[in-house]
Amino acid sequence: MMDLHRQAFKEEAYELLAELESSLLELEERPDDQDLIGRVFRAMHTIKGSGSMFGFDDIASFTHEVETVFDMVRNGKLSVTSRLVNLTLAARDQIRAMLDAADSGAEADLQASAAIIVGLRELAGFGGGVAETDERHEEALVQQKDPVTYRIRFVPPRDIFVTGTNPLNLLAEMKELGTCTVVAQTDGFPPLEEMDPEGCYVYWDVILTTDQGENAVRDIFIFVEDDCELKIDVVAEHSRYDEQQDYKKLGEILLERGDITPQEMKEVLSRQRRFGELAVAEGILPEGKVQSALAEQKHVKEVRQEKQVADASSSIRVPAERLDLLVNLVGEMVTVQARLSQTAAQRDDAELMAIAEEVERLTAELRDSALNIRMLPIGSTFSKFKRLVRDLSAELGKQIEMTTEGAETELDKTVIEKLNDPLVHLIRNSIDHGIELPEVREAAGKPARGTVHLAAVHSGDSVLITIADDGAGLDKEAIRTKGIERGIIPANAELSEKELFCLIFAPGFSTAKTVSSVSGRGVGMDVVKRAIENLRGSIDITSVRGQGTRITVKIPLTLAIIESLLVKIGDDSFMMPLALVDECVELTREDVARSHGRNLAHVREHLVPYIPLRRHFKISGAPPEIEQIVITQVDGMRVGFVVDHVIGEHQTVIKSLGRAYKDTEGISGATILGDGSVALILDIPQLVQAVETEQN
């Protein structure tokens, strides 16, 4: 059981570290933002508290040092500087390393921890003051309490102004402890002729909800408590909200405060008017006391409503493995459902058909629900890249701002994980090759600070992710020259701009004149393309010299189940991803004869090249008199695939091929059909590439 709790802590800690990194990067831009400072402090505080609870003492101890410094920032005793952000980011990385090390059983780098702690202590100005940090630790622990609502009556001494104390400052200090409602009471004012102009005749009722504890409230009045009337009562403990659905009625509050006697309340209640109005009208209570009690009632009600809203939007944490198992089971269910539908159709049984249709409907809903559970916003990945841009900019001496758009766009968790490395590589290339040094940009009439824009948007059953920079753009002539030098293209080749840009995806291709620590060895863009294609996606480049480069990655929403087109060649079945299919047209023997072996079809006055799959896969047997061409879109080009028959759309549960077949060209996986037979899923872009290579 403890292992489960430790694992749950680690998952929570990883999420908190991601949030911490994001908050720190924003804090660097807005160092006075108290909300961000609070978020950083809370993240550290939670990691420390939970870490200590589940046996991660080294992490708790280390995090305590960072938390102590941010407690000073929170209290206005220390400013947010670049050095503080750098040290805290380094601390964040160190905590992550310590969490990773806990998995492998290895020890984290203790020297790195010590160096960060020394830096933070120097920054905070208390060197190795262990006692001082422990004192702050104790203060911080106070905040682990659940929020409590206090009723505070503060009646200052009449001569409080003579002592140089301003009671309004005390009230302002109290507001910093939490949610606060203040009601001034003025029923103590004497007639004007009796009034001392230097006297204080006002007193206050304060309703305060805070997690700081009663001592924190009393500390505010520490210098006046002996001279004033101070009454602090607990009116609600918010950890027990569920037991207290309704707050007290107005009469109960006044009775509890001692502002009214039970007899007076009984007399008032005996009359058919609103209690507050009656109490004031009868002169039992001044208007201010009624208003104060009403304010308390309203305050507690609002705090409870806020908590109920927060509870309603809460979520549960489920290990990713369980979700993967659920999706796999749903995949099996889809396969069985297809078999049931096919069997029902063959038996011509109306009742069985009705059951099959109902199962089909439920399976479709179950499939969508299961896949939606694994959908995550891509924003968390975007946040990681902000750190990448920040660190690389500093390393290369460049000024770069990263902007994002569409962070709420959702993608399958597996796709997001596999997309991380290709995107990191593309962003690194934009920073290293794309964005110029500040002086170069200014000489070109550009602002010294460059921009890398990362955007995501849904497009049908796919997501388009764009990495755009306003840097130097691609040098077409340099790419062409390098392509000829490396023998990738002949010297007299006439390539379109798009084909020219695609050369950078060739293995080992690089136009960089120098090799930096970031890139320049020509290693990576071919790997990026392959990784994107493995996700059944595509990559597209546009660039204008001197203005920048835009790379667009198109990937499917999910990898588990896809909509596809079922086709047949002889007795063999194949699946083609429906997202790539444009249309289907017939191909007659006359059409084949007219193309004179060039594999070109006339489709509405346009020539479309096609690939005869029967010939490509060496499938024996004669094709039918009229074949079908399935026309697809690959890298912006229409390419046809000739098959015997088009069966129709099919919900395809993707099964990976075994190790022996993992390098099979043109096949990305397999699926099981309703009759139990296997259909291969075609890798359309790879097939086109293979045929182009053969022809060249």
Side-chain angles (χ1 to χ4, degrees), residues 162-187:
V162 178
T163 63
T165 302
N166 186 345
L168 296 182
N169 290 342
L170 302 177
L171 297 173
E173 200 172 338
M174 209 156 20
K175 286 182 178 177
E176 294 178 1
L177 293 181
T179 308
C180 189
T181 304
V182 179
V183 180
Q185 299 290 358
T186 57
D187 57 291

Side-chain angles (χ1 to χ4, degrees), residues 241 243-249 252 300 304:
Y241 271 175
E243 302 169 12
Q244 305 170 1
Q245 293 301 316
D246 297 316
Y247 193 55
K248 301 161 189 159
K249 292 183 169 34
E252 292 174 332
V300 175
R304 285 183 176 177

Side-chain angles (χ1 to χ4, degrees), residues 16-138:
L16 287 169
L17 289 177
E19 182 187 334
L20 178 66
E21 186 178 67
S22 171
S23 300
L24 285 169
L25 294 175
E26 289 184 48
L27 190 59
E28 193 170 34
E29 297 170 4
R30 304 195 300 277
D32 296 326
D33 192 321
Q34 291 300 316
D35 182 49
L36 288 173
I37 293 170
R39 277 162 58 187
V40 172
F41 179 84
R42 285 194 295 274
M44 288 293 181
H45 188 71
T46 306
I47 292 172
K48 182 192 74 175
S50 302
S52 176
M53 189 182 302
F54 296 114
F56 293 87
D57 295 334
D58 55 341
I59 292 177
S61 174
F62 178 72
T63 312
H64 165 58
E65 299 286 347
V66 192
E67 182 203 18
T68 302
V69 173
F70 260 88
D71 189 34
M72 296 177 69
V73 175
R74 201 174 56 143
N75 292 324
K77 296 175 183 173
L78 190 67
S79 300
V80 175
T81 60
S82 294
R83 191 181 171 211
L84 175 62
V85 173
N86 286 338
L87 280 168
T88 314
L89 283 171
R92 176 261 177 207
D93 294 344
Q94 184 63 11
I95 295 170
R96 186 176 178 91
M98 293 162 94
L99 284 168
D100 293 341
D103 268 344
S104 61
E107 285 192 2
D109 186 351
L110 297 180
Q111 288 186 343
S113 299
I116 293 168
I117 290 173
V118 168
L120 287 169
R121 288 184 174 181
E122 285 176 356
L123 199 62
F126 48 79
V130 176
E132 187 172 356
T133 57
D134 284 347
E135 186 180 336
R136 296 176 189 284
H137 176 55
E138 293 303 323

Side-chain angles (χ1 to χ4, degrees), residues 227-282:
D227 301 321
C228 72
E229 179 187 335
L230 182 66
K231 188 177 180 189
I232 302 175
D233 295 317
V234 175
V235 294
E237 292 182 30
H238 298 288
S239 60
R240 300 205 299 265
Y241 271 175
D242 291 343
E243 302 169 12
Q244 305 170 1
Q245 293 301 316
D246 297 316
Y247 193 55
K248 301 161 189 159
K249 292 183 169 34
L250 177 61
E252 292 174 332
I253 296 172
L254 289 167
L255 190 63
E256 193 175 285
R257 287 174 174 220
D259 293 334
I260 192 171
T261 65
Q263 183 59 34
E264 288 169 333
M265 189 170 78
K266 188 176 178 182
E267 289 175 7
V268 173
L269 286 174
S270 64
R271 303 163 195 176
Q272 298 301 313
R273 291 177 64 185
R274 294 180 67 179
F275 177 79
E277 294 171 1
L278 285 170
V280 174
E282 292 293 324

